[in-house]
Amino acid sequence: MATEEGPEETKVSDRGMVTIPADLRRRLDIEPGDKLRWTTDEEGNLSVEIVHQREGVFDDFEPVDVGETNAVEVESEFGAE
């Protein structure tokens, strides 16, 4: 991906690791815990998809007691986080 200043480059480490440039992380809202999904096509072109892993995804759901735990009772006793 290119920026206004030109293409970004990073070096692959001996362990196969790369660093995402800070400008790209900010512009694409990539945060710690997010995943990158790497795919290639028949011509060898590489695509990277950002899979955001945000905490609290299920915060809006109410706990349901299915008889295997006492989560509903514990929440009423101690409150939700």
Side-chain angles (χ1 to χ4, degrees):
M1 173 176 280
T3 64
E4 295 174 9
E5 301 155 2
E8 295 277 357
E9 288 186 1
T10 58
K11 186 176 181 180
V12 179
S13 76
D14 57 352
R15 293 180 50 195
M17 300 171 78
V18 297
T19 300
I20 304 168
D23 180 56
L24 290 176
R25 290 194 314 268
R26 283 190 293 272
R27 286 193 297 124
L28 298 173
D29 191 33
I30 300 173
E31 296 183 355
D34 288 346
K35 295 181 181 182
L36 301 179
R37 186 172 293 142
W38 306 78
T39 56
T40 58
D41 62 17
E42 293 81 28
E43 290 91 36
N45 297 310
L46 175 66
S47 297
V48 181
E49 177 186 357
I50 303 162
V51 182
H52 295 286
Q53 300 290 317
R54 303 297 189 238
E55 290 186 37
V57 174
F58 298 105
D59 285 348
D60 293 337
F61 289 92
E62 292 295 322
V64 176
D65 191 349
V66 293
E68 296 177 15
T69 68
N70 63 351
V72 174
E73 294 171 14
V74 170
E75 182 182 43
S76 65
E77 184 178 340
F78 296 102
E81 290 183 15

